[in-house]
Amino acid sequence: MDNKNRPIGFFDSGVGGLSVMREAIRLMPNEDYIYFGDSKNAPYGIKTVDEVRTLTVEAFEYLLKKNVKAIVVACNTATSAAIDLVRDKYKDIPIIGIEPALKLAVKYNRKGNIIIMATPMTLREKKFKALMKRYAKDHDIVSLPCAKLVELIENGIITGKELEDYLKEKFKPYDNKDIGVVVLGCTHYPFIKETLHKLINEDIPIIDGGFGTSQELKRRLKEKNLLNTKEKKGNITIINSNGNEDIIELSKRLIEIS
Ligand code: DGL
């Protein structure tokens, strides 16, 4: 098979990475995609770094057997724990990770706090610490760990009272007028963006790294001459470690939400 025609692999701890893959599909609709969600082991954000590294390597082995031409680690938590490891181990294919979109948040140049919502692990790891170091001296950055949010979203709870109560509690210490921008530093969170916008002022930007990551993916494929040149729409395959049909149904529903 011509290398250009091989599929692109996406990986996340569960359904979150679909928020990144849908951006990639918009940008490169003629590519084939294989998504592997590890919902059986989600959430990753409260595991140890070693556990997440082992699970990430297992996901890579699985996707490589599917003959993928590149892998997107569409999970901030797995990126912070394991991106160096997999880049070192799998040198032959482009590997694209994701990190909280702090650089983009700073560009908005708005007054007030930059609130970074993410998993406890992402906020604790050295990758994020390095990002903070770069921007914290000129900006007010607040880390907001949201440990339970992934579980809610994995259960298909992306609207409703339980979610609203959780978010209200999280944002209670911050007055609307003090919030400059909110960064969704976990790929599950874009699915609750609308609910969050109901709770904070409409003019506060809520941003994520899905589009930027997809642009980076395209750039890397182009650089390696791996962009698919066929004209028709590509195939999308969604696989999940939790063998339950419900999670595939949820995945299909989420990928259609814009
Ligand atoms: N989507 C993952 C992320 O971007 C969620 C990690 C988890 O399972 O806790 O961080």
Side-chain angles (χ1 to χ4, degrees), residues 12-13 43-45 75-77 119 150 186-188:
D12 178 50
S13 65
Y44 279 12
C75 176
N76 293 264
T77 307
T119 68
V150 166
C186 166
T187 55
H188 280 71

Side-chain angles (χ1 to χ4, degrees), residues 148-160:
K148 198 184 138 192
L149 204 42
V150 166
E151 262 174 82
L152 293 177
I153 298 162
E154 283 288 310
N155 284 307
I157 300 169
I158 55 168
T159 55

Side-chain angles (χ1 to χ4, degrees), residues 47-212:
K47 292 192 185 312
T48 66
V49 169
D50 279 347
E51 282 170 326
V52 173
R53 282 170 176 249
T54 303
L55 292 167
T56 303
V57 169
E58 279 170 19
F60 265 65
E61 291 295 328
Y62 182 82
L63 285 170
L64 289 169
K65 281 198 192 100
K66 302 270 175 204
N67 198 28
V68 295
K69 63 182 174 185
I71 295 182
V72 180
V73 182
C75 176
N76 293 264
T77 307
T79 299
S80 56
I83 200 83
D84 295 343
L85 170 74
V86 288
R87 285 203 174 123
D88 205 41
K89 196 169 162 69
Y90 306 103
K91 291 204 165 70
D92 294 340
I93 66 162
I95 298 172
I96 294 91
I98 187 164
E99 59 183 14
L102 197 46
K103 195 168 149 194
L104 182 62
V106 163
K107 277 200 189 140
Y108 275 81
N109 202 16
R110 280 171 49 98
K111 283 206 174 66
N113 293 316
I114 297 175
I115 298 194
I116 319 266
M117 297 170 71
T119 68
M121 188 185 297
T122 298
L123 297 172
R124 221 177 34 230
E125 278 307 295
K126 62 176 187 302
K127 245 186 164 318
F128 183 69
K129 296 243 169 75
L131 255 188
M132 278 290 262
K133 209 166 161 197
R134 199 168 340 140
Y135 296 106
K137 65 174 178 350
D138 301 318
H139 304 276
D140 296 318
I141 304 170
V142 175
S143 294
L144 190 63
C146 298
K148 198 184 138 192
L149 204 42
V150 166
E151 262 174 82
L152 293 177
I153 298 162
E154 283 288 310
N155 284 307
I157 300 169
I158 55 168
T159 55
K161 188 170 179 324
E162 187 182 359
L163 176 65
E164 284 175 24
D165 287 349
Y166 177 81
L167 293 173
K168 262 186 212 150
E169 192 57 36
K170 282 281 161 193
F171 277 82
K172 209 153 97 186
Y174 313 103
D175 202 284
N176 266 301
K177 68 172 180 3
D178 301 329
I179 308 175
V181 43
V182 176
V183 177
L184 305 177
C186 166
T187 55
H188 280 71
Y189 303 169
F191 297 122
I192 54 103
K193 188 171 168 177
E194 271 176 37
T195 305
L196 183 58
H197 245 154
K198 282 192 353 203
L199 303 178
I200 63 170
N201 277 359
E202 284 238 334
D203 63 333
I204 299 172
I206 302 177
I207 61 170
D208 66 79
F211 182 64

